[in-house]
């Protein structure tokens, strides 16, 4: 199992580091997290000026006002060893892989040794993890290992580490209380009613406290990520909207093809058996909130959001098979268990070509025609300055400059690194990016470098 864990960590790290080295990582969100962790490492508040200036909140906007992720602080000591976004990419790779031993322990206890190996390979190759490690770094890095510890330790009868892992989830993001509510529902379904009720109340209280008070105390606005205006103006309004039309809310879950595709992709890796287990209740609130939102990127399989629940659903699949085998009165049938685990592993393999891990065997993934021009452009920017950088250029500058996101609105930084050859967020088109460069020159910026579509501007 150590070899599987190590191989997974290496593969995840290579995927992220190659994208960083070839200027295919992005300022949103890699630089955001890098700025927060660097400030923690310097024993400062986790200021994220790149996000603050983008949202007109100022240079001293703190990460806890954007997303409530105080757990980023645990990464700070690694910045004392190596200060840069590559550290985050490696840390994320290790954290995703660290869930594997706990998934193995849980599966071995329920199904046996060989099924445990196959399920862990399936997790290591799973598309939610692949998409997460391919898209910079995010707070989701903490969730698979914490949910794996929570489920495995509870199943082993070790309540203290199980509930400590659950409590740590509340430090990952403001909506993790929803997952804790789901954990409470699962415990109730399993017959552990008092713990279940207390857990659900803890999750609910945390969601209300963090979204209703904590984020605003740090200078944020809980409405920044409110994506349910079609249901109501706020949480009470949305709940009333759902209660007034429950059938409409159910239909909303399946209202887009992308939603249906993602839901099927989430349960198919377990051959649908996750649906037979109460463990799926842990994931249910988080999945419902995604599918009810009005932001299409939250529904899609292309981003990192499904990695929040991937371990839960694999463990639910293991438990679902165990329940099914008891139902059909074959509780000790090793061939059934091995056949299911082999099927799960086969499904994971068939999905690899569709998602990000498939890039690792393609030679063109390791090269980028414009990487040399990009490297020369960022090298023109001196250390210690503030620079507005194109979304793909920011990660190469963040360890030695204060990076702001280059966009249509100027922030007055003395240096600008622009990209006019390909579309860069938050612009609408490369043509708009060319216009932005012309506008900066009209404002008094001097062009000091131009090659391969990259333009470096300076203003004294």
């Amino acid at each position: 199992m150590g070899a599987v864990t190590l191989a997974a960590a290496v593969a995840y790290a290579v995927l992220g580091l190659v994208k960083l080295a070839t200027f295919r990582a992005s300022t949103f969100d890699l630089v955001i997290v890098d700025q927060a962790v660097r400030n923690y490492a310097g024993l400062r508040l986790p200021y994220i000026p790149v996000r603050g200036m983008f949202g007109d909140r100022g240079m001293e906007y703190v990460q806890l006002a954007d997303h409530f992720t105080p757990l980023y602080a645990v990464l700070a000591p690694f910045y004392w060893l190596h200060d840069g976004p590559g550290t985050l990419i490696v840390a994320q790779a290790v954290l995703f892989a660290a869930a594997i031993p706990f998934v193995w322990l849980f599966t071995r206890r329920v199904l046996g040794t060989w099924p445990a190996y196959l399920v862990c390979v399936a997790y290591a190759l799973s598309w939610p993890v692949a998409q997460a490690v391919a898209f910079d770094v995010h707070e989701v890095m903490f969730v698979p290992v914490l949910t794996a510890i929570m489920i495995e330790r509870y199943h082993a009868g070790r309540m203290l580490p199980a509930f400590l892992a659950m409590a740590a989830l509340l430090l990952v993001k403001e909506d993790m209380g929803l997952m804790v509510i789901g954990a409470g529902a699962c415990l109730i379904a399993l017959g552990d009613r008092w713990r279940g009720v207390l857990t659900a109340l803890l999750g609910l209280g945390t969601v209300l406290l963090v979204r209703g008070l904590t984020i605003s105390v740090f200078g944020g606005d809980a409405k920044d990520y409110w994506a349910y205006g079609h249901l109501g103006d706020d949480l009470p309004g949305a709940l009333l909207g759902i209660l007034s039309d429950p059938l409409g809310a159910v239909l909303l879950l399946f209202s887009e093809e992308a939603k249906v595709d993602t839901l099927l992709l989430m349960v198919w890796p377990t051959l649908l058996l996750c649906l037979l287990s109460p463990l799926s209740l842990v994931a249910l609130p988080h999945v419902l909130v995604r599918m009810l939102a009005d932001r299409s990127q939250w529904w899609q399989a292309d981003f990192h959001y499904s990695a929040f629940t991937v371990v839960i659903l694999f463990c639910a699949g293991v438990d679902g098979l165990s329940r099914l085998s008891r139902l059909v009165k074959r509780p000790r049938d090793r061939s059934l268990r091995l056949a299911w685990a082999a099927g799960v592993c086969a499904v994971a393999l068939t999905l690899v070509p569709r998602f990000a891990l498939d890039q690792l065997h393609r030679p063109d993934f390791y090269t980028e025609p414009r990487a040399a021009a990009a490297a020369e452009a960022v090298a023109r920017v001196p250390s210690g300055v503030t620079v507005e950088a194109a979304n793909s250029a920011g990660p190469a500058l963040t360890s030695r400059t204060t990076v702001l996101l280059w966009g249509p609105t100027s922030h007055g930084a003395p240096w600008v690194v622009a990209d006019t050859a390909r579309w860069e967020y938050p612009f609408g088109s490369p043509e708009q990016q060319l216009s932005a460069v012309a506008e900066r020159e009209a404002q008094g910026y001097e062009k000091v470098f131009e090659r391969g579509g990259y333009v470096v501007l300076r203003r004294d």
Side-chain angles (χ1 to χ4, degrees):
M1 186 43 51
V4 175
T5 304
L6 178 60
V10 170
Y12 303 157
V14 168
L15 188 61
L17 291 173
V18 169
K19 295 191 75 172
L20 176 64
T22 54
F23 294 85
R24 284 175 282 182
S26 57
T27 295
F28 272 37
D29 295 313
L30 183 54
V31 172
I32 294 174
V33 182
D34 172 79
Q35 291 179 343
V37 175
R38 177 174 292 104
N39 278 301
Y40 276 128
L43 305 181
R44 299 180 295 269
L45 286 173
Y47 298 116
I48 48 172
V50 62
R51 180 67 180 88
M53 295 301 291
F54 182 79
D56 296 323
R57 304 285 173 82
M59 296 285 283
E60 295 188 347
Y61 187 62
V62 297
Q63 192 277 327
L64 299 171
D66 185 48
H67 287 303
F68 185 72
T69 314
L71 207 56
Y72 278 143
V74 304
L75 301 177
F78 299 104
Y79 265 51
W80 302 339
L81 302 174
H82 180 269
D83 180 350
T87 299
L88 296 176
I89 290 170
V90 173
Q92 176 172 263
V94 170
L95 285 167
F96 273 119
I100 291 174
F102 296 97
V103 174
W104 185 80
L105 287 170
F106 175 80
T107 308
R108 184 186 64 169
R109 193 180 301 120
V110 177
L111 301 182
T113 300
W114 282 108
Y117 281 114
L118 291 169
V119 169
C120 285
V121 170
Y123 163 79
L125 296 174
S126 65
W127 68 266
V129 175
Q131 295 310 103
V133 297
F135 185 42
D136 298 330
V137 296
H138 299 86
E139 64 282 331
V140 70
M141 70 174 81
F142 299 106
V143 177
V145 65
L146 290 175
T147 52
I149 293 170
M150 178 179 70
I151 293 170
E152 189 279 324
R153 290 291 81 191
Y154 181 85
H155 186 262
R158 302 292 298 275
M159 299 302 163
L160 180 59
F163 282 94
L164 287 176
M166 183 188 69
L169 283 172
L170 298 173
L171 305 179
V172 171
K173 197 177 179 184
E174 63 276 5
D175 62 357
M176 285 295 95
L178 296 171
M179 192 172 287
V180 174
I181 293 172
C186 176
L187 292 177
I188 293 170
L190 292 172
D192 195 350
R193 291 182 177 84
W194 281 111
R195 285 197 185 101
V197 170
L198 292 175
T199 296
L201 290 174
L202 173 64
L204 177 61
T206 302
V207 169
L208 296 176
L209 176 65
V210 173
R211 292 196 64 87
L213 179 62
T214 307
I215 285 178
S216 60
V217 166
F218 283 105
D221 188 341
K223 294 183 179 180
D224 284 347
Y225 295 98
W226 182 252
Y228 310 94
H230 55 300
L231 297 173
D233 293 333
D234 51 24
L235 180 59
L239 292 175
L240 287 174
I242 292 172
L243 292 174
S244 64
D245 185 14
L247 179 59
V250 172
L251 294 176
L252 187 60
L253 297 172
F254 309 98
S255 60
E256 299 284 344
E257 184 178 352
K259 294 182 182 183
V260 177
D261 286 347
T262 299
L263 289 170
L264 288 174
L265 280 169
M266 291 175 71
V267 298
W268 177 236
T270 67
L271 302 179
L272 309 184
L273 292 193
C274 61
L275 301 175
L276 300 181
S277 171
L279 284 173
S280 291
L281 292 172
V282 183
L284 183 61
H286 192 270
V287 173
L288 290 177
V289 165
R290 283 180 62 193
M291 298 302 155
L292 289 172
D294 61 11
R295 300 189 181 185
S296 61
Q297 65 267 32
W298 292 8
W299 319 329
Q300 296 170 9
D302 295 334
F303 299 101
H304 59 285
Y305 301 104
S306 295
F308 282 96
T309 51
V310 61
V311 161
I312 300 167
L313 295 178
F314 269 113
C315 290
V318 170
D319 182 59
L321 175 65
S322 177
R323 292 172 182 274
L324 178 63
S325 63
R326 292 196 298 269
L327 183 65
V328 299
K329 299 181 180 180
R330 296 173 64 183
R332 298 183 179 179
D333 190 333
R334 294 183 179 179
S335 61
L336 176 63
R337 298 177 181 186
L338 192 59
W340 175 81
V344 165
C345 193
V347 168
L349 285 168
T350 62
L351 290 175
V352 167
R354 181 174 170 182
F355 294 98
L357 287 179
D358 186 61
Q359 299 173 93
L360 291 174
H361 77 90
R362 299 180 181 275
D364 59 348
F365 172 66
Y366 300 91
T367 61
E368 167 56 44
R370 298 197 307 137
E376 190 174 352
V378 299
R380 294 296 183 98
V381 180
S383 298
V385 302
T386 299
V387 54
E388 294 178 46
N391 194 38
S392 62
L397 287 160
T398 185
S399 61
R400 60 184 183 85
T401 68
T402 299
V403 172
L404 307 179
L405 183 64
W406 175 59
T409 301
S410 174
H411 299 301
W415 289 83
V416 174
V417 177
D419 182 359
T420 61
R422 66 178 176 185
W423 173 76
E424 295 272 7
Y425 178 82
F427 289 96
S429 65
E431 291 74 23
Q432 190 180 9
Q433 293 157 214
L434 280 168
S435 297
V437 170
E439 289 173 7
R440 298 295 198 280
E441 290 184 283
Q443 294 167 4
Y445 282 89
E446 174 190 2
K447 187 181 294 184
V448 297
F449 175 85
E450 183 174 11
R451 179 187 166 195
Y454 287 97
V455 178
V456 180
L457 304 171
R458 179 185 65 189
R459 184 172 67 180
D460 295 328

